[in-house]
Amino acid sequence: EAKITRGNRRFSAGGRVFIGELAFLMKKPATADVHLTSGVMAVRWPTSQLAKTLTTNPQMRIAFDALINRDLARKLAQ
């Protein structure tokens, strides 16, 4: 589980979710702090490297977009 703090608001995120995806998609700085609970494994990818990879690898871009879209749809449906 991830504990997310944005201003005075606190959220929890379960497994297999993107965190910070809106900042990446909107090309804005992240606006929240994220703390992982003990035993959690996460993948962190610097914005510039991810953007370069998606630009130079169209198949990765398609896969990434599909995952982001599914994640955002699941979050909106909650």
Side-chain angles (χ1 to χ4, degrees):
E1 182 176 68
K3 302 291 184 181
I4 304 161
T5 305
R6 183 172 185 226
N8 293 327
R9 298 182 67 191
R10 294 175 191 242
F11 310 89
S12 292
R16 298 181 181 253
V17 296
F18 285 95
I19 299 172
E21 72 281 6
L22 292 178
F24 176 76
L25 293 171
M26 298 176 71
K27 298 180 176 140
K28 303 273 183 179
T31 59
D33 293 315
V34 179
H35 299 277
L36 304 178
T37 57
S38 179
V40 171
M41 183 181 291
V43 175
R44 182 174 184 250
W45 206 332
T47 301
S48 60
Q49 286 182 331
L50 179 57
K52 183 178 179 182
T53 299
L54 297 177
T55 299
T56 59
N57 188 330
Q59 289 178 317
M60 178 99 167
R61 168 56 92 177
I62 291 167
F64 179 82
D65 287 348
L67 289 171
I68 286 284
N69 288 337
R70 190 174 324 144
D71 184 65
L72 289 171
R74 188 172 55 242
K75 289 174 181 173
L76 288 172
Q78 292 179 349

